[in-house]
């Protein structure tokens, strides 16, 4: 592949990464709204089902995001190797950073659900 083709493929993959980030934010927002509005009224079985589905779907999209970010970074690195003039390369730490940030968001949202269902009555 030429440098231009690699850059084009990397940019298309980055577009998919951004789309998945939007999906992750939508899932997170929906879960927090659900927790805030309905968590107190839900049974333990309902909370278990909602949490299980949320964790599975969120983890699936987070893993896909990691894979696509890694691939986009790799294609950008390959295009840099073929370049004779570009100096600014990709950031190879970005995939793991995205996993850390969105992993923290997952844990924080589960903590939010716990706090809504178990209010401090002091």
């Amino acid at each position: 592949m030429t440098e231009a083709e690699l850059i084009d493929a990397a940019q298309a993959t980055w577009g998919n990464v951004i789309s998945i980030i939007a999906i992750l934010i939508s899932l997170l927002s929906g879960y927090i709204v659900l927790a805030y509005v309905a968590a107190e009224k839900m049974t333990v079985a309902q909370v278990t089902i909602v949490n299980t589905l949320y964790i599975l779907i969120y983890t699936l999209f987070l893993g896909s995001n990691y894979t696509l970010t890694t691939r986009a970074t790799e294609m950008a690195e390959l295009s840099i190797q073929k370049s004779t003039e570009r100096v600014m390369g990709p950031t190879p730490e970005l995939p793991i950073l995205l996993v850390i940030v969105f992993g923290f968001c997952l844990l924080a949202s589960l903590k939010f659900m716990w706090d809504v269902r178990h209010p401090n009555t002091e």
Side-chain angles (χ1 to χ4, degrees):
M1 290 181 92
T2 66
E3 178 188 359
E5 290 172 329
L6 285 167
I7 291 171
D8 188 46
Q11 292 302 319
T13 307
W14 280 116
N16 290 335
V17 168
I18 292 168
S19 296
I20 290 176
I21 288 173
I23 292 170
L24 284 169
I25 292 171
S26 297
L27 276 170
L28 179 66
S29 300
Y31 181 80
I32 289 174
V33 168
L34 172 82
Y36 186 75
V37 172
E40 291 182 53
K41 302 171 198 143
M42 296 170 71
T43 66
V44 173
Q46 290 169 333
V47 171
T48 303
I49 291 168
V50 167
N51 284 345
T52 303
L53 289 173
Y54 172 63
I55 291 168
L56 287 174
I57 293 169
Y58 195 93
T59 305
L60 175 70
F61 279 105
L62 190 56
S64 298
N65 201 7
Y66 175 79
T67 301
L68 286 173
T69 306
T70 303
R71 286 183 184 162
T73 303
E74 184 178 273
M75 285 184 271
E77 285 174 358
L78 289 172
S79 72
I80 284 285
Q81 290 171 2
K82 291 182 178 223
S83 177
T84 58
E85 296 183 22
R86 291 187 334 162
V87 291
M88 187 175 156
T91 308
E93 299 84 17
L94 187 60
I96 204 74
L97 179 64
L98 284 172
V99 169
I100 290 170
V101 169
F102 281 100
F104 173 77
C105 291
L106 173 68
L107 295 175
S109 64
L110 292 171
K111 169 77 167 93
F112 181 80
M113 172 71 93
W114 177 268
D115 289 345
V116 170
R117 288 195 43 85
H118 301 90
N120 190 357
T121 55
E122 294 178 54

